[in-house]
Amino acid sequence: MLYPKVFNPLDLGFITLKNRIIMGSMHTGLEEAKGGFERMAAYYSERAKGEVGLIITGGVAPNRRAWLTPFGAKLTTDAEATKHKVITEAVHKAGGKICLQILHGGRYSFHPFAVAPSAIKSPISKFKPWKLTGSGIWSTIRDFGNTAFLAKQAGYDGVEIMGSEGYLINQFIVPKTNHRNDEWGGTFENRIRFPLEIIKEVKKRAGNEFLIIFRLSMLDLIDEGSTLEEVILLAQQLEKSGVHIINTGIGWHEARIPTIASSVPNGAFTWITQKLKNEIKIPLIATNRINTIDQAEMILQNGEADLISMARPFLADPYIVQKSKNGQANLVNTCIACNQACLDQIFKQQVASCLVNPFACHETEMISTKTNTRKKIAVIGGGPSGMAFSLEAAKRGHEIHVFEKQNILGGQFNLASLIPGKEEFKETTRYFEENLKLYNVRIHLNITFTLEHVKSLGFDEVVVSSGVKPRRIEIEGINHPKVISYPDAIKFPEKIGKNVAIIGAGGIGYDVASTLVHKRELSYYKHWGIDQEYKSRGGIMQSAHNEPNHKVWLLQRKEGKMGETLGKTTGWIHRLNLKKLKVDTIAGVEYQKIDDQGIHIVVNNKPKLLAADTVIICAGQESENELVKDLEKYGIKFYVIGGALKAGEVDAKRAIMEGVELGLKI
Ligand code: NAP
Ligand code: SF4
């Protein structure tokens, strides 16, 4: 049997999980969207059809003060419980199991009524919380119990109590945020009283045969966080209180250490889960940057955990478990940890989706139907938009031919996968290649498409997805041999001198800069100051960096903050990373000329010479769509998508979305 550990059911007496894979909690924005319950029912039930062992919903507040944002999801009344039934019924009908996560934001709640153990503002919120009174604490505990009771009424199989990531319960547990001197603060026993009383109340209200998972912060990654001994002691107390499963939480949201970004190694935190493994008897879930069933099996085989939680991988592919079980792991659409369409959307208060799978959270709106008119379609360019279009159109029954002038598919993704920390982008190309094969899409590599092909091969329609080319910019000396384009800089690092100026500080400028100063021999843990020996509170230590290979200046013309266009949830990582590696970022630059001496610029009205040996142009792109004029001239029906349509701010999210949308309607 493939993946014997993963597909070994977990029997807890009153409930059996059919396998060891859990879809971890993730807020999607559907919770608050119009028609959200029906949309969530479709979203979760599709994952249940894909045979995941257990689903945990996005966080739901036990009272109004617990709201992360005003009017967020809460479960406090019978009427609200009734609305949830559409979700639980759909999941159960699809053969799945589902738990509701109860989340109290505490001082992370983004509204003026936020409460916390002590009135200490978080660095990532503008609201100072109110200190909970003793009676406020007891009523909050009762609210957790009430929500668990209502979750049971609504048909959920259990609840997950969110005790990590720096939310309210976590704020009670650690000395940093709990400065109380009553029975809820001070000693460790007092600080953990709050979670233990919550479990007691939940059990009282929902009974013994209702699954209780506790998400325990095992590594806070903040100063004055928990010690390892405290984590173990709390886990043992939770076990005694009747918690059935312990889930792993890593890092507070305010920690300045990336824990789920693409630069975090796969399975980077299973070592911490393992430290707890022999200290308790109840099952333990490993989390963070686990995105394949292969890896899940390995973690289980190594005895590092009993279950594996994945959240974003289920946005990327609802069928990851089923495909892997059936020996079709090659067909899985792998999450590349970009955050661009999921967490970045959530931070903008929009419904989440997935860059590589735009259907995610849009299951009721984006529906594929077989075509009645089979067309023969030429697709010019096998980058993200072309591949996405081809797959959807082929699934609907069209005959698709992709023409790619390179010798491989992937387009800009091939460049991206050469950036340290973005290697997994090649998994998206693998996904498309394998699925295009399955749907019989004809791939023509090393071919520059011409009108002759339309005529000789008899295409009905043409889709232009030929992508982008680097923007040519006008600066004196732009043709100097020391000037190179970003694709060349990424593909041929040996062409780059010691001192490097980068023109343009968008996503690609940042990527190129971090590639230049990145040193593989330095571990992720040392670079970000994670103490794997766990000697200090919170598991943090001084970070350490090797001297970079290059001196780098990253330049932009705009005044103000650098890296403004980077993703909401990853921009800070890029900025901090370059700061650690001593990259000079300069805004408000006026470019004068490039010559043998380097690049001459003016900043704050003062001329400056940067003695660069190499100048890399990362100044954005222009559309590559020369064919369009000919297609127009000869009256051939065509569509233009992705970068070929609009190069400004082209990103893979828009490119893939446009490909899928056209594929669904052509
Ligand atoms: P971009 O984000 O548009 O950045 C282009 C940069 O070039 C800007 O900093 C711009 O700043 C500068 N520039 C533009 N025209 C110029 C000119 N004529 N002369 C000199 N400088 C000029 O483009 P990109 O960096 O190529 O990224 C392309 C797309 O890929 C973006 O949508 C981006 O979101 C996406 N991407 C994202 C990431 C990420 O989030 N990590 C990584 C890679 C790519 P000034 O005009 O101020 O000089
Ligand atoms: Fe993963 Fe990116 Fe999709 Fe989010 S948007 S689920 S990080 S691939």
Side-chain angles (χ1 to χ4, degrees):
M1 185 200 205
L2 280 169
Y3 311 113
K5 290 274 182 194
V6 165
F7 291 102
N8 177 24
L10 178 68
D11 184 357
L12 292 169
F14 60 95
I15 187 171
T16 299
L17 307 186
K18 62 181 154 206
N19 59 55
R20 303 300 179 108
I21 305 295
I22 290 175
M23 176 179 168
S25 173
M26 189 163 163
H27 185 80
T28 60
L30 288 176
E31 295 82 356
E32 294 85 26
K34 196 160 173 261
F37 284 97
E38 286 68 29
R39 290 177 68 180
M40 279 190 282
Y43 163 68
Y44 287 126
S45 66
E46 180 147 18
R47 274 79 196 160
K49 275 183 218 149
E51 299 188 43
V52 60
L54 174 71
I55 293 167
I56 302 176
T57 67
V60 172
N63 59 38
R64 283 195 169 85
R65 283 179 178 255
W67 269 339
L68 276 182
T69 50
F71 308 104
K74 69 174 178 65
L75 177 52
T76 58
T77 63
D78 289 340
E80 283 164 348
T82 305
K83 288 188 189 160
H84 280 260
K85 283 188 179 161
V86 61
I87 299 175
T88 54
E89 280 164 10
V91 169
H92 291 149
K93 198 167 158 215
K97 298 216 157 33
I98 183 162
C99 286
L100 179 103
Q101 188 191 67
I102 312 181
L103 183 152
H104 191 310
R107 71 179 194 153
Y108 282 169
S109 293
F110 212 69
H111 53 72
F113 309 108
V115 289
S118 303
I120 308 167
K121 198 177 88 62
S122 132
I124 57 169
S125 173
K126 64 177 185 187
F127 298 101
K128 186 176 173 184
W130 298 84
K131 179 183 170 181
L132 274 166
T133 59
S135 63
I137 291 176
W138 281 114
S139 84
T140 307
I141 290 167
R142 284 193 296 277
D143 290 341
F144 269 89
N146 182 48
T147 300
F149 169 78
L150 292 171
K152 194 173 181 187
Q153 302 305 303
Y156 285 101
D157 299 286
V159 286
E160 176 172 84
I161 307 294
M162 181 41 147
S164 67
E165 282 25 40
Y167 292 115
L168 181 73
I169 294 177
N170 216 173
Q171 292 158 25
F172 267 92
I173 295 169
V174 306
K176 185 183 177 81
T177 42
N178 184 343
H179 291 189
R180 303 179 73 96
N181 50 20
D182 58 6
E183 67 199 295
W184 305 100
T187 62
F188 174 65
E189 286 67 30
N190 282 352
R191 283 185 274 120
I192 64 169
R193 194 182 305 281
F194 184 60
L196 296 178
E197 290 294 342
I198 287 175
I199 301 302
K200 227 193 265 177
E201 184 70 14
V202 167
K203 285 200 94 67
K204 191 170 101 191
R205 297 296 308 279
N208 277 333
E209 309 226 320
F210 187 60
L211 186 58
I212 303 178
I213 303 170
F214 189 90
R215 184 124 192 231
L216 173 64
S217 186
M218 295 194 195
L219 191 66
D220 295 318
L221 298 178
I222 52 157
D223 60 334
E224 295 182 78
S226 295
T227 62
L228 177 61
E229 293 68 34
E230 288 175 345
V231 170
I232 293 171
L233 276 172
L234 176 53
Q236 289 167 341
Q237 293 291 321
L238 289 166
E239 177 171 19
K240 259 196 223 154
S241 317
V243 164
H244 302 107
I245 298 176
I246 289 187
N247 195 358
T248 303
I250 302 290
W252 285 37
H253 287 315
E254 68 200 58
R256 292 297 83 181
I257 297 174
T259 54
I260 58 165
S262 62
S263 53
V264 177
N266 289 113
F269 295 101
T270 54
W271 59 273
I272 178 69
T273 308
Q274 188 173 37
K275 281 189 193 291
L276 204 62
K277 186 79 181 72
N278 296 325
E279 307 287 345
I280 52 171
K281 290 184 198 69
I282 51 175
L284 201 49
I285 307 174
T287 61
N288 282 54
R289 283 293 280 132
I290 304 167
N291 62 356
T292 64
I293 302 299
D294 275 281
Q295 207 188 350
E297 175 70 18
M298 206 171 68
I299 294 164
L300 298 177
Q301 296 269 1
N302 290 344
E304 291 168 312
D306 305 286
L307 296 139
I308 304 295
S309 170
M310 305 178 183
R312 296 172 297 171
F314 281 98
L315 284 182
D317 197 331
Y319 293 91
I320 176 173
V321 173
Q322 191 178 69
K323 287 177 185 174
S324 305
K325 183 178 158 197
N326 296 342
Q328 295 177 316
N330 60 325
L331 299 180
V332 170
N333 200 355
T334 303
C335 165
I336 55 176
C338 65
N339 285 359
Q340 276 173 255
C342 53
L343 298 182
D344 284 349
Q345 290 284 104
I346 292 296
F347 274 76
K348 288 188 253 170
Q349 312 266 310
Q350 289 169 5
V351 171
S353 188
C354 172
L355 180 139
V356 299
N357 174 28
F359 291 92
C361 299
H362 296 282
E363 288 76 8
T364 54
E365 301 156 353
M366 294 175 72
I367 294 165
S368 175
T369 48
K370 287 272 175 225
T371 179
N372 295 325
T373 337
R374 181 174 159 90
K375 294 175 190 168
K376 184 169 176 177
I377 302 168
V379 179
I380 319 307
S385 62
M387 294 189 296
F389 165 79
S390 302
L391 183 57
E392 290 318 316
K395 278 184 184 173
R396 293 185 50 230
H398 293 298
E399 180 181 334
I400 307 294
H401 292 247
V402 180
F403 294 84
E404 168 56 52
K405 58 183 184 193
Q406 305 291 327
N407 59 358
I408 43 169
L409 293 179
Q412 296 287 311
F413 267 36
N414 295 324
L415 272 185
S417 66
L418 298 175
I419 306 290
K422 288 195 169 175
E423 293 83 355
E424 285 184 343
F425 275 58
K426 65 179 180 309
E427 294 302 326
T428 304
T429 307
R430 183 264 309 143
Y431 159 78
F432 279 117
E433 278 173 343
E434 295 287 334
N435 282 277
L436 292 177
K437 233 187 281 168
L438 192 71
Y439 286 93
N440 210 16
V441 171
R442 284 7 103 80
I443 311 285
H444 310 274
L445 298 173
N446 294 311
I447 289 189
T448 301
F449 185 83
T450 64
L451 284 190
E452 277 314 302
H453 290 106
V454 183
K455 291 176 198 154
S456 62
L457 297 171
F459 289 109
D460 300 312
E461 291 175 11
V462 174
V463 172
V464 180
S465 53
S466 39
V468 291
K469 56 189 174 197
R471 178 183 281 136
R472 287 272 314 161
I473 60 170
E474 298 302 328
I475 300 177
E476 189 183 330
I478 194 74
N479 294 322
H480 193 282
K482 67 171 61 175
V483 179
I484 62 173
S485 66
Y486 73 82
D488 278 352
I490 295 170
K491 283 190 274 188
F492 310 109
E494 67 281 1
K495 286 189 180 175
I496 301 171
K498 179 108 184 97
N499 299 325
V500 186
I502 298 176
I503 293 184
I508 291 181
Y510 267 84
D511 275 355
V512 170
S514 58
T515 306
L516 292 174
V517 289
H518 177 84
K519 273 213 163 182
R520 283 179 186 280
E521 66 266 29
L522 194 69
S523 88
Y524 153 77
Y525 305 100
K526 285 189 182 140
H527 183 75
W528 290 102
I530 300 170
D531 175 14
Q532 284 189 281
E533 289 179 32
Y534 215 147
K535 286 191 184 142
S536 58
R537 277 198 174 274
I540 50 172
M541 63 178 189
Q542 190 67 36
S543 59
H545 321 286
N546 286 339
E547 208 45 46
N549 284 335
H550 299 271
K551 165 73 211 155
V552 178
W553 296 278
L554 180 60
L555 313 172
Q556 74 175 27
R557 296 174 301 179
K558 280 186 286 295
E559 301 277 357
K561 194 174 165 193
M562 301 280 290
E564 275 288 41
T565 57
L566 301 174
K568 272 261 176 215
T569 59
T570 50
W572 66 270
I573 303 171
H574 293 294
R575 284 189 289 269
L576 192 54
N577 187 37
L578 293 197
K579 197 168 159 198
K580 282 176 187 284
L581 295 170
K582 299 182 189 156
V583 169
D584 265 346
T585 52
I586 312 178
V589 170
E590 197 185 306
Y591 303 111
Q592 300 272 287
K593 65 172 175 180
I594 300 163
D595 61 16
D596 290 347
Q597 290 180 293
I599 177 163
H600 300 259
I601 59 172
V602 174
V603 188
N604 293 331
N605 296 321
K606 286 195 195 106
K608 206 170 172 178
L609 168 67
L610 308 177
D613 310 309
T614 305
V615 176
I616 304 175
I617 311 298
C618 300
Q621 295 83 18
E622 292 164 1
S623 295
E624 174 105 71
N625 56 14
E626 282 76 19
L627 194 69
V628 165
K629 278 192 219 106
D630 283 346
L631 292 168
E632 265 166 351
K633 193 165 147 196
Y634 290 98
I636 295 162
K637 188 162 184 197
F638 69 94
Y639 307 84
V640 189
I641 54 172
L645 176 67
K646 188 166 160 254
E649 290 177 15
V650 63
D651 61 28
K653 185 173 87 178
R654 178 166 73 79
I656 291 180
M657 175 58 112
E658 285 179 9
V660 168
E661 278 176 347
L662 182 61
L664 289 180
K665 70 176 184 214
I666 201 165

